[in-house]
Amino acid sequence: MAAADLEKRIGYRFKDKQLLERALTHSSYANESKKKIECNERMEFLGDAVLSIIVADHIFHKFHLAEGDLTKIRAALVCEKSLFEFAKQIDLGSELLLGHGEEQTGGRERPSVVSDAFEALIAGIYLDGGMEEAKRFVLPFVEKEIRSKESPFVDYKTLLQEIIQKNPEECVEYVLVSEEGPDHDKKFVVEVHLNSNVIGRGTDRSKKGAEQAAAREALSLMGEIE
């Protein structure tokens, strides 16, 4: 294992090199080893929790969205597919310690194996350097992923507010125009007003969704987005 090369790629130098080695040790390698060594499964468990709180805290402060929308964003950022992509950016698969069978069947390219190791690596950094170092490692991947999937993650209300705030005398207000349908199938219509002028209108099954749609239309009419 070329620990120094991996440490350079991830931008973190471990004080306890055993933590790094354990994070990269797949169960197949541990099972085949003549020595009693620990695989990365326990670290994967911890890394999953650390990753979740880092992402949840980040998007909570970044997006002023409802709980359901935040949950969807978090799920998209911590899913196996995303973690596999993160791991590929640092060529993590090439550093894994795999058993002979796992090696022969393409374990280094298997999303489940590599994404689990990425979570274990997060745990290793957390255990070795604390939460701030774990955040410093994780957040660049998260921010890049958010930018690559801009549409699902855009908080149009915040974007509109940031633009309007350039003129302190301007005031934005969201007005519920109508609310129709039974409780299980509501339809909300919201207008966004700039001072007394309607600059956008949106419809959605939730009030917050309608506000986002109204803000999006306003931004589109202002030429800020397509």
Side-chain angles (χ1 to χ4, degrees):
M1 181 182 68
D5 290 342
L6 179 59
E7 287 177 325
K8 187 175 181 179
R9 294 200 298 274
I10 67 177
Y12 181 77
R13 186 175 295 278
F14 278 81
K15 296 183 286 290
D16 183 352
K17 304 297 184 184
Q18 290 184 341
L19 283 171
L20 176 56
E21 183 170 351
R22 193 184 314 155
L24 301 175
T25 301
H26 188 256
S27 58
S28 63
Y29 184 90
N31 292 337
E32 291 181 15
S33 176
K34 294 179 181 179
K35 299 179 181 179
K36 187 177 180 180
I37 59 176
E38 188 175 346
C39 71
N40 62 11
E41 289 178 350
R42 279 168 44 84
M43 293 181 71
E44 174 205 336
F45 164 79
L46 177 60
D48 176 71
V50 173
L51 173 66
S52 184
I53 188 63
I54 290 173
V55 171
D57 178 74
H58 184 67
I59 64 175
F60 176 84
H61 290 96
K62 185 178 182 68
F63 301 114
H64 297 283
L65 298 174
E67 179 268 344
D69 295 322
L70 291 172
T71 298
K72 291 176 184 176
I73 294 174
R74 182 180 61 184
L77 291 170
V78 303
C79 69
E80 181 181 287
K81 181 180 178 182
S82 292
L83 297 184
F84 183 52
E85 291 300 318
F86 298 164
K88 287 197 294 185
Q89 293 173 34
I90 57 172
D91 193 22
L92 186 61
S94 69
E95 305 291 347
L96 301 184
L97 298 174
L98 303 176
H100 180 73
E102 192 67 38
E103 183 80 67
Q104 294 300 311
T105 56
R108 294 188 188 279
E109 299 296 328
R110 187 170 295 120
S112 59
V113 171
V114 180
S115 62
D116 287 351
F118 188 82
E119 289 181 326
L121 180 60
I122 293 171
I125 294 172
Y126 168 73
L127 292 169
D128 193 68
M131 181 61 82
E132 287 306 310
E133 289 294 343
K135 286 173 66 175
R136 193 171 68 84
F137 171 65
V138 168
L139 289 180
F141 296 102
V142 171
E143 278 296 309
K144 185 176 179 181
E145 185 72 0
I146 288 174
R147 289 193 298 270
S148 72
K149 297 180 176 178
E150 184 175 359
S151 294
F153 298 143
V154 170
D155 181 352
Y156 295 109
K157 287 181 65 177
T158 297
L159 183 56
L160 179 62
Q161 187 66 35
E162 289 173 349
I163 292 170
I164 300 302
Q165 281 178 344
K166 295 175 182 177
N167 299 303
E169 70 277 6
E170 305 286 3
C171 178
V172 172
E173 181 183 10
Y174 292 86
V175 178
L176 179 63
V177 177
S178 67
E179 177 181 337
E180 303 172 356
D183 288 341
H184 69 277
D185 190 24
K186 287 278 190 184
K187 184 173 78 170
F188 296 87
V189 179
V190 169
E191 291 178 347
V192 56
H193 293 191
L194 178 59
N195 298 326
S196 59
N197 301 313
V198 178
I199 60 171
R201 185 181 179 95
T203 302
D204 195 79
R205 295 179 65 178
S206 73
K207 184 178 177 182
K208 289 186 179 294
E211 290 175 351
Q212 287 287 336
R216 190 189 190 290
E217 182 176 270
L219 288 164
S220 179
L221 293 172
M222 293 164 65
E224 297 292 338
I225 61 173
E226 294 183 359

